[in-house]
Amino acid sequence: MSASGNAPRRQRKIREQCGSCPDRFSRDKRQVVVEDSDTTEEESSTDEEERWKDVARAAEIPAEYYNIQKLVKYIKAGNQTATIVSLCCLQDYDLRTQINQFAIQDIGGLDVLVNILECNDTKCCLGALSVLSDITLNIDIRKTIVDLDGIPLIVDILSSSMRDLKTMAAETLSNVSKVRLARKYVRQCGGISKLVDLLDIKMSILQTPRDQLTVEEIECLDMARAGSRALWTLADSKHNMEQMRKSGIVPLMANLLKSVHIDVVIPIMGTVQKCSSEPKFQLAITTEGMIADIVNHLKSECIDLKVEGSSALYKCAFDATTRDLVREAGGLEPLVAILKDKTVRDNKPLLRGATGAIWMCAMTDENVKELDDMNVIHHLVALLADECDEVLTNVTGALSECVRFQENRVAVLNAGGLPSMVSLLNSSHAPLLENLAKAIKECAEDADCMRVLEKLDAVRLVWSLLKNTSPRVQANAAYAICPCVKNATDSAELVRSLVGAMELVVGLLKSKEIMVLSAVCAAIATIALDQTNLAILSDLRVIYKLADLVNTTDDNLRMNLAAAVAACACFGNNTEELGRLRTVTPIVTYMTSDNPLVHRTTAMALEKLSMDPQNCITMHQSGVVPFLLECIGSTNKELQLAAAGCLRNIRELALRAEEYMLKIDDD
């Protein structure tokens, strides 16, 4: 099929009807209209696929190739009995090998097999599906099945009353649905709800070993496994995931996760993992109590289960409640055990899932304390030598959360983690750099760590991240600069030794990203504590750029912008100039915020601005006095002092004005 959904479909080859099923073509095939937002699958094979086919065909053709083609001819021309026998004989060959798949495809066998799905003979349909479930492992065959309108026929079979037919149909769909267009067709034909129905199986069957089940129960179990495999593949589409949720898959997944049958749990865990990327599913997974079952399977010997389970926790643990549930279910220990196991270091999906889950869980303080008891810092630092960017991103993310605590900063220092972290600053992977900057920011709060960072020239590398194209990297780098400058041995000289450093910082005040502006303002507030640096910043017209930002409603930007204004106002005539630029009234409005941290820096800025008489008048007219009086009662000493200082300046101006008026009256 062409890439465009509106292009005409390829016409089928002329069918060769056999005498086995006289009503084989009695029903018209359902026409599927492509009207969906999903990206359609390209029909044309990639160069890699073409090379793969050429290599397979270049090999010496075995006798099996011709024998298979003879059987396909019997299916085309034979009677009902010959068709069934030929289909059974086909299954005696290894149809998972490429050359045998080509044998069927080259003689037009795919068209015949799809046509058989329309007949009313159960045995013929079952035989055709058995063959299709094997040969659809081939990429090219999957696409051909879609082109031949096979999806609606397979979906129709899911409504059959026979379990083995539904099982084989689901197995075939699990392979064919690896094509994007097939996933769309399954949804449009109502196949998802039918597949979800296959998962409705008694708990007694799920919790009984296979060798103790009856034949009928084994059929139900196989049907549930096939359905879960098909849904696992279909879950690659967001539209399909939403349709699954509406079809009631969540409680069924919760039941299947309690199964003792690993071959059922693996695909359903894979489905849970894919669906957990959606917020609605994350909530459902938590409320249905699946977290404990996922954690339980992390202790399994099955690597595939560990991969899917750890990845599911990684996606779900963005939520604080889920992080608590992971800890309460004992999930942190098996996650750390994966990090310790050196035999799985080459299994990047598993390592990525485990490190990601630990990163998310470390956002909760109680989890960090428990992870500390397992010496997680040592194991995370050991993984800083990994070559996978995604693993490194998760590892540095986990470290950035752990080093919020002083004892873990010391642990990173003692484990030799700082040199590895600094060397990774030369990476080009934006998410990794984002987490590295955050981790270095926390480590720089410790004096001993800061000395090591200075020796490693880390400040220069962090500063260079301000040139990165990612706003999040820029923001985290700017925040990291604050403790680096504040705790450096000679912070003023350090900043000036970096050529173009302050120009780069001031230039970022033109950014359109709020997070970047907020972080840069925080950096400016720290850099400006040195008078020489403040003079350079003033020459770069920093107050004019700050003045352009005052009309903001974002509390984080307000807090850091007010701090930057407070730091820059006390140089030269900056106070008067800021008043002339009409920054006073907007800054006064910051006092209406509900965030006490905004009040603190705003009061500090107003205290500095109140050094100018005209600014005092503007503040008084803007109604700042009641807010300042309220701030004096705060428990924060900095806020108290700043508010009192501002009120003092306003009161002194009022007294001088009063004395002046009395003097005029006396004269």
Side-chain angles (χ1 to χ4, degrees):
M1 182 174 294
S2 63
S4 170
N6 295 323
R9 295 202 181 160
R10 179 191 304 168
Q11 295 296 318
R12 288 200 190 175
K13 298 175 183 177
I14 297 174
R15 299 170 182 162
E16 299 179 52
Q17 181 174 352
C18 71
S20 60
C21 306
D23 61 343
R24 181 177 296 177
F25 308 126
S26 60
R27 300 196 305 271
D28 291 333
K29 288 199 174 75
R30 185 178 312 169
Q31 293 300 311
V32 180
V33 181
V34 182
E35 295 176 353
D36 205 293
S37 60
D38 281 354
T39 305
T40 57
E41 186 79 15
E42 295 288 345
E43 182 209 352
S44 58
S45 301
T46 62
D47 293 340
E48 183 179 352
E49 291 170 5
E50 294 295 345
R51 287 196 299 272
W52 167 69
K53 286 185 275 188
D54 290 342
V55 170
R57 292 175 189 274
E60 184 178 349
I61 298 177
E64 287 183 352
Y65 178 90
Y66 300 105
N67 292 337
I68 288 172
Q69 290 196 336
K70 286 180 183 178
L71 290 173
V72 174
K73 289 179 182 178
Y74 290 145
I75 295 172
K76 287 181 178 182
N79 56 27
Q80 184 173 354
T81 303
T83 299
I84 295 172
V85 171
S86 299
L87 287 170
C88 292
C89 291
L90 269 180
Q91 293 172 54
D92 291 337
Y93 293 93
D94 185 3
L95 299 180
R96 293 172 179 263
T97 60
Q98 295 169 3
I99 192 65
N100 291 346
Q101 292 164 358
F102 289 140
I104 295 174
Q105 186 179 20
D106 292 347
I107 201 171
L110 296 180
D111 196 26
V112 175
L113 291 170
V114 170
N115 290 340
I116 292 176
L117 299 180
E118 291 188 276
C119 74
N120 292 328
D121 188 277
T122 301
K123 292 181 179 178
C124 286
C125 282
L126 184 59
L129 283 172
S130 298
V131 174
L132 286 171
S133 66
D134 284 340
I135 64 176
T136 47
L137 294 171
N138 183 305
I139 299 170
D140 196 46
I141 289 177
R142 290 174 198 153
K143 296 178 181 179
T144 305
I145 298 299
V146 176
D147 289 348
L148 293 172
D149 290 339
I151 298 298
L153 301 176
I154 301 173
V155 169
D156 279 344
I157 294 173
L158 292 173
S159 301
S160 169
S161 59
M162 296 187 63
R163 296 191 190 94
D164 51 357
L165 261 182
K166 292 193 282 190
T167 299
M168 293 312 303
E171 288 283 0
T172 305
L173 284 177
S174 69
N175 292 333
V176 180
S177 295
K178 291 175 182 176
V179 177
R180 286 195 188 100
L181 195 55
R183 294 196 287 270
K184 182 187 299 183
Y185 282 10
V186 172
R187 180 176 70 254
Q188 291 178 337
C189 294
I192 289 179
S193 58
K194 294 178 182 179
L195 287 167
V196 170
D197 289 340
L198 301 185
L199 306 185
D200 193 1
I201 182 173
K202 293 179 181 178
M203 185 61 72
S204 59
I205 298 176
L206 293 173
Q207 296 185 338
T208 303
R210 191 179 182 91
D211 55 5
Q212 298 177 20
L213 295 174
T214 64
V215 173
E216 184 178 340
E217 289 173 335
I218 289 175
E219 287 180 353
C220 291
L221 186 64
D222 289 342
M223 189 172 64
R225 183 198 63 212
S228 59
R229 285 191 62 209
L231 290 167
W232 186 9
T233 306
L234 289 164
D236 283 328
S237 163
K238 288 186 178 181
H239 297 290
N240 288 352
M241 283 192 277
E242 180 60 19
Q243 188 63 44
M244 290 178 199
R245 190 184 65 81
K246 290 179 179 178
S247 299
I249 195 176
V250 175
L252 297 176
M253 290 195 302
N255 289 338
L256 290 171
L257 283 178
K258 301 180 188 299
S259 174
V260 297
H261 306 284
I262 298 299
D263 58 344
V264 174
V265 177
I266 290 174
I268 209 64
M269 183 73 84
T271 308
V272 170
Q273 182 266 127
K274 288 183 179 179
C275 291
S276 58
S277 60
E278 295 297 305
K280 290 180 181 178
F281 266 103
Q282 291 171 3
L283 178 62
I285 288 169
T286 303
T287 54
E288 285 289 339
M290 292 190 220
I291 297 299
D293 292 318
I294 294 173
V295 167
N296 186 50
H297 288 303
L298 284 179
K299 303 170 186 175
S300 167
E301 295 298 321
C302 178
I303 295 296
D304 289 338
L305 263 184
K306 289 183 177 182
V307 171
E308 301 298 338
S310 59
S311 298
L313 290 181
Y314 176 19
K315 293 178 180 179
C316 290
F318 282 95
D319 177 67
T321 304
T322 305
R323 295 197 288 269
D324 292 336
L325 290 173
V326 172
R327 181 183 69 254
E328 292 164 4
L332 297 178
E333 186 174 352
L335 288 171
V336 174
I338 294 172
L339 267 61
K340 292 180 181 179
D341 189 355
K342 294 183 179 179
T343 62
V344 302
R345 292 292 169 86
D346 291 334
N347 190 332
K348 299 309 175 187
L350 176 57
L351 210 54
R352 184 166 58 243
T355 52
I358 289 174
W359 173 19
M360 292 298 107
C361 289
M363 292 180 181
T364 298
D365 293 354
E366 290 80 1
N367 288 347
V368 175
K369 293 175 183 176
E370 191 165 318
L371 288 168
D372 288 345
D373 295 337
M374 303 174 198
N375 197 20
V376 73
I377 294 293
H378 175 77
H379 303 300
L380 289 171
V381 168
L383 286 173
L384 287 173
D386 199 273
E387 67 278 3
C388 177
D389 283 341
E390 290 175 320
V391 171
L392 290 171
T393 298
N394 294 345
V395 169
T396 51
L399 285 171
S400 70
E401 296 298 334
C402 291
V403 294
R404 291 183 289 118
F405 300 90
Q406 173 60 25
E407 60 270 20
N408 286 334
R409 295 169 191 157
V410 175
V412 169
L413 179 63
N414 294 337
L418 291 179
S420 299
M421 288 166 61
V422 172
S423 66
L424 289 173
L425 287 171
N426 293 305
S427 169
S428 58
H429 190 59
L432 171 58
L433 295 174
E434 180 185 332
N435 288 344
L436 276 171
K438 188 177 178 183
I440 288 175
K441 168 186 174 292
E442 298 295 343
C443 289
E445 297 287 355
D446 178 76
D448 293 334
C449 288
M450 189 60 221
R451 299 292 83 77
V452 175
L453 291 173
E454 283 186 275
K455 290 179 182 178
L456 296 170
D457 199 20
V459 180
R460 179 183 60 81
L461 293 171
V462 170
W463 215 297
S464 68
L465 295 182
L466 295 176
K467 299 176 183 178
N468 196 281
T469 55
S470 168
R472 298 187 69 85
V473 173
Q474 291 175 342
N476 282 6
Y479 280 126
I481 286 170
C482 298
C484 287
V485 170
K486 184 172 66 176
N487 298 321
T489 306
D490 188 351
S491 59
E493 185 57 37
L494 172 65
V495 174
R496 290 193 291 275
S497 68
L498 302 173
V499 179
M502 282 184 272
E503 288 89 340
L504 183 57
V505 170
V506 174
L508 283 176
L509 289 174
K510 296 178 181 178
S511 174
K512 295 181 180 179
E513 297 288 340
I514 294 291
M515 70 176 83
V516 176
L517 294 173
S518 178
V520 171
C521 285
I524 288 172
T526 305
I527 296 168
L529 294 175
D530 176 76
Q531 286 298 303
T532 306
N533 289 343
L534 177 53
I536 297 172
L537 288 171
S538 297
D539 290 342
L540 295 171
R541 300 175 66 82
V542 69
I543 61 169
Y544 295 93
K545 293 180 173 62
L546 294 174
D548 290 337
L549 304 175
V550 291
N551 293 301
T552 179
T553 57
D554 184 86
D555 273 356
N556 202 33
L557 178 54
R558 282 177 166 183
M559 176 180 68
N560 292 323
L561 176 57
V565 169
C568 296
C570 55
F571 180 82
N573 66 339
N574 285 355
T575 303
E576 295 86 347
E577 194 64 18
L578 284 166
R580 190 187 66 79
L581 293 169
R582 299 183 179 181
T583 62
V584 177
T585 301
I587 291 176
V588 169
T589 63
Y590 296 179
M591 299 299 285
T592 60
S593 170
D594 295 328
N595 189 339
L597 295 176
V598 176
H599 297 166
R600 181 181 66 85
T601 57
T602 301
M604 292 167 60
L606 291 174
E607 181 190 16
K608 296 294 189 297
L609 291 171
S610 65
M611 298 294 183
D612 178 64
Q614 185 59 47
N615 290 345
C616 286
I617 296 171
T618 305
M619 288 179 200
H620 191 274
Q621 291 173 343
S622 301
V624 76
V625 173
F627 293 109
L628 293 174
L629 289 172
E630 185 178 346
C631 290
I632 288 178
S634 170
T635 56
N636 187 298
K637 290 186 177 180
E638 283 185 311
L639 177 55
Q640 282 182 334
L641 290 172
C646 187
L647 282 172
R648 179 195 62 206
N649 292 336
I650 294 173
R651 183 58 184 156
E652 283 182 356
L653 177 63
L655 287 173
R656 288 199 298 271
E658 190 175 330
E659 290 173 0
Y660 179 73
M661 294 303 295
L662 289 172
K663 185 175 180 182
I664 291 176
D665 291 342
D666 290 342
D667 293 342

